[in-house]
């Protein structure tokens, strides 16, 4: 319902909010934004805390660096249209974060949510 009492459909409301950059936005228990869509590039502190709960260590295969020492990485790069949302985020230690951006390595996404690196030949 609009301020003037007019009614619009949910689809119209979603489209208008999207065009205004208002969605997607998911709030945590303390009204902290957890999913920020394309409005911001860097992950917020609330997002990092949420990510650390679901990914307590680096998500590179065989790495056990604790989450609080990891970087939040966009699986689909923000520069290529990726969103700053938890569904597009993964914890990587500094070494593996550098490796995932290194063109000398190919990255494989494993069924358990981990990533593995293979040197390109």
């Amino acid at each position: 319902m609009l301020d003037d009492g007019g009614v619009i459909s949910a689809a119209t409301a979603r489209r208008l909010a999207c065009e205004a950059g208002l969605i997607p936005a998911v709030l945590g228990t303390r009204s902290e934004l957890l999913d920020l869509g394309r409005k911001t590039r860097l992950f917020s502190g609330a997002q990092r805390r949420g990510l650390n709960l679901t990914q307590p260590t680096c998500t590179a295969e065989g790495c056990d660096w604790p989450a609080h020492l990891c970087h939040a990485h966009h699986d689909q790069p923000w520069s290529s249209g990726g969103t700053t949302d938890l569904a597009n985020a993964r914890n990587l230690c500094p070494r593996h974060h550098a490796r995932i951006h290194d063109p000398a390595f190919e990255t494989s996404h494993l069924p358990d949510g981990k990533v593995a690196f293979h040197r390109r030949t």
Side-chain angles (χ1 to χ4, degrees):
M1 181 176 291
L2 302 175
D3 289 342
D4 66 2
V7 178
I8 59 174
S9 70
T12 300
R14 279 191 296 274
R15 181 183 54 76
L16 291 171
C18 184
E19 289 172 359
L22 299 176
I23 60 173
V26 176
L27 300 178
T29 57
R30 287 183 264 166
S31 297
E32 297 168 305
L33 283 170
L34 297 181
D35 289 340
L36 300 173
R38 297 269 315 145
K39 278 313 227 182
T40 185
R41 179 177 161 264
L42 300 177
F43 292 95
S44 70
Q47 287 177 308
R48 294 295 314 278
R49 287 188 294 278
L51 184 61
N52 292 353
L53 289 174
T54 60
Q55 299 175 10
T57 62
C58 175
T59 57
E61 184 177 44
C63 187
D64 62 357
W65 267 56
H68 72 276
L69 297 176
C70 290
H71 301 163
H73 169 76
H74 291 86
D75 275 335
Q76 180 185 1
W78 193 85
S79 60
S80 298
T83 57
T84 303
D85 296 342
L86 294 181
N88 190 40
R90 79 173 44 253
N91 273 326
L92 291 171
C93 69
R95 175 177 170 244
H96 288 115
H97 196 199
R99 183 164 287 180
I100 208 165
H101 291 287
D102 186 339
F105 288 89
E106 182 178 343
T107 304
S108 300
H109 292 262
L110 305 175
D112 64 356
K114 300 278 187 177
V115 289
F117 300 99
H118 311 281
R119 186 172 287 282
R120 296 180 194 269
T121 56

